[in-house]
Amino acid sequence: MIKWFVEKLLLLQLLIFPALGFCDPIFSTGNKHSVTVIGTGYVGLVLGACLADLGQVVTCCDVDKEKIQMLSKGMIPIYENGLLEIVQKNLANGRLHFSTNVDTSILNSNVIFITVGTPEGKNGEANLCFIGKVAETIGKNLNDKKTIFVKSTVPMGTIRWIKEVIDENNSKQTPYNLGYAPEFLREGSSVEDFMHPDRIVIGADNDETANIFANLMQPLIDAGAPLCTTSIASAEMIKYASNSFLSIKISFINEIADFCEQIGANVDEVAYAIGLDKRIGKAFLKPGPGYGGSCFPKDTNAFLKAAEKYGIDLKTVNAAVQTNSTRALKIVQNLENRFGSLKGLKIAIWGLSFKEETDDVRESAALKLIDLLQKRGAILHCYDPIANANALKVFPTLFTYNRPQDAVQYADALILATPWKEFLEVNFIDIYKRMNTKFIYDTRNFLDEKYLRRIGFEVESLGKK
Ligand SMILES: NC(=O)c1ccc[n+]([C@@H]2O[C@H](COP(=O)([O-])OP(=O)(O)OC[C@H]3O[C@@H](n4cnc5c(N)ncnc54)[C@H](O)[C@@H]3O)[C@@H](O)[C@H]2O)c1
């Protein structure tokens, strides 16, 4: 009788919930876990919301009370395409929860993800203090066998160290699993990246850990995502090697751009043609003001530091870092070549986030430009579709505007620093009329240069004479 009742209840749930838009067809009761995500930032929030969307019951925890309050009301603290809808949907269907009570959440779950930040420390090494604190908290709250996955980006040997910290605090010696599942999402398209990953990596030292992870990711694996099951050491290497390789590609094309300028070649033509070679690929072959964001700069530095400890000199990664560190200065020097002193020059900057489609300004090349230009006495008027507020946290006295055309009023130069699509839609005839000197520095080779020249603009870009 009870079995019949449970079956009917399940059937009812499966019929009614999808009709209400509460459930995905991939939802499978066989895969259900109670998941805690510790650290509800860019990575943790996307992970938690997407896992809930795949059918798990998830609690995202954070020490930031304001953030958790906001999320509990169905608002998200970051700008990320498609994320708000997934958060609201899974809050409504009861699969997604938010909490500041990390201890209770750990006690009530069987799977735990660690997604706290690992920012750059003073000497370039990864700062592991947040992750150490979380490992301590997990150790103290191990009331039964749980599986812990680290998603934060960490240097080689960190998972072993996390295990030591958990063990020191696990007074009852409760057994647990620990794996490393590096995250590869790109801000701006992180929901899409989570749902359709190029690959999923799990570093584990036993089958049970790897299987639990595969079980969580089953809908994505069924949809074709390749699963790479590796040792923990390999997974630690994969994450840093991936980010470093992409950084090398960016620095490489930036150096080629410099060379192109000298010989009268066009870097866009060069990048397109070399990118058609399948062995090279066209991604990350776009010249620019240097890579930024919360990952590449800190991860390449941490990789170099980690290698140093093992007596390895990563010359190519080091070269990429060195090249990158000169990019913003080169742009400012080009401006000085054009205008002489920049003191008192009114410069408009379009785009403040480190890339388009995100509000994240961490290590943004635009902010590096702002810093260098301010130090030279330039007067800056900035516009970003989303990131003005975050930029103001770094430079509180910056003039920011809500429309791109307002930032260029009477400007002597316009610098395009971040390639937001909306800049392609701007009425440049109107921009031309508003500017004092009709000079555009397109540091992303993004705008239609020929068209701008036809209007009468003087245009500077990268890798072209
Ligand atoms: N942002 C990305 O695009 C990206 C991509 C791949 C990997 N990663 C890696 O993922 C990790 C997280 O990055 P992020 O960008 O999401 O960081 P973030 O700074 O946006 O978020 C980290 C969150 O952790 C919270 N936190 C800190 N200590 C805590 C504790 N003891 N308990 C609970 N919460 C705590 C913070 O309040 C913050 O909300 C980093 O290691 C990063 O390198 C980031």
Side-chain angles (χ1 to χ4, degrees), residues 39 41-43 62 67 116 118 153 183 187 294-295 298 362:
Y42 284 87
V43 168
D62 206 286
K67 190 182 267 188
V116 292
T118 48
T153 302
E183 179 57 65
E187 284 178 25
S294 69
C295 292
K298 81 170 171 68
R362 289 178 284 184

Side-chain angles (χ1 to χ4, degrees), residues 183-201:
E183 179 57 65
F184 301 99
L185 61 76
R186 297 163 301 170
E187 284 178 25
S189 55
S190 57
V191 172
E192 172 67 19
D193 289 348
F194 183 95
M195 294 299 189
H196 304 100
D198 288 344
R199 78 304 208 185
I200 301 168
V201 175

Side-chain angles (χ1 to χ4, degrees), residues 346 348-350 381-383 399-411 426 430-431 434-435:
K346 187 172 172 188
I349 299 187
W350 280 1
H381 294 256
C382 304
Y383 166 78
F399 296 116
T400 57
Y401 297 85
N402 294 325
R403 303 187 312 167
Q405 60 268 40
D406 294 333
V408 301
Q409 198 71 36
Y410 307 121
V426 168
D430 173 50
I431 299 297
R434 286 169 186 261
M435 287 180 71

Side-chain angles (χ1 to χ4, degrees), residues 226-349:
L227 174 71
C228 308
T229 306
T230 72
S231 68
I232 285 174
S234 295
E236 287 175 332
M237 182 61 80
I238 289 165
K239 177 61 195 169
Y240 274 137
S242 297
N243 277 4
S244 295
F245 187 78
L246 295 173
S247 307
I248 290 170
K249 262 186 122 177
I250 294 170
S251 281
F252 174 78
I253 202 63
N254 279 333
E255 286 188 342
I256 297 299
D258 290 351
F259 203 174
C260 283
E261 281 171 20
Q262 296 307 314
I263 65 159
N266 179 327
V267 73
D268 292 342
E269 292 169 358
V270 173
Y272 176 71
I274 62 177
L276 287 178
D277 185 330
K278 289 190 193 69
R279 295 167 302 174
I280 296 173
K282 59 182 189 242
F284 287 76
L285 280 185
K286 192 98 181 128
Y291 57 77
S294 69
C295 292
F296 288 4
K298 81 170 171 68
D299 291 348
T300 43
N301 283 336
F303 198 27
L304 288 173
K305 282 285 168 191
E308 237 176 77
K309 286 193 180 158
Y310 293 89
I312 303 286
D313 181 10
L314 294 173
K315 293 191 185 68
T316 50
V317 181
N318 194 19
V321 171
Q322 296 312 319
T323 298
N324 199 59
S325 67
T326 64
R327 298 310 295 173
L329 183 62
K330 183 180 182 291
I331 287 163
V332 172
Q333 283 169 344
N334 282 348
L335 277 174
E336 285 175 323
N337 291 341
R338 164 66 180 77
F339 289 97
S341 166
L342 302 182
K343 198 168 173 27
L345 202 76
K346 187 172 172 188
I347 301 177
I349 299 187

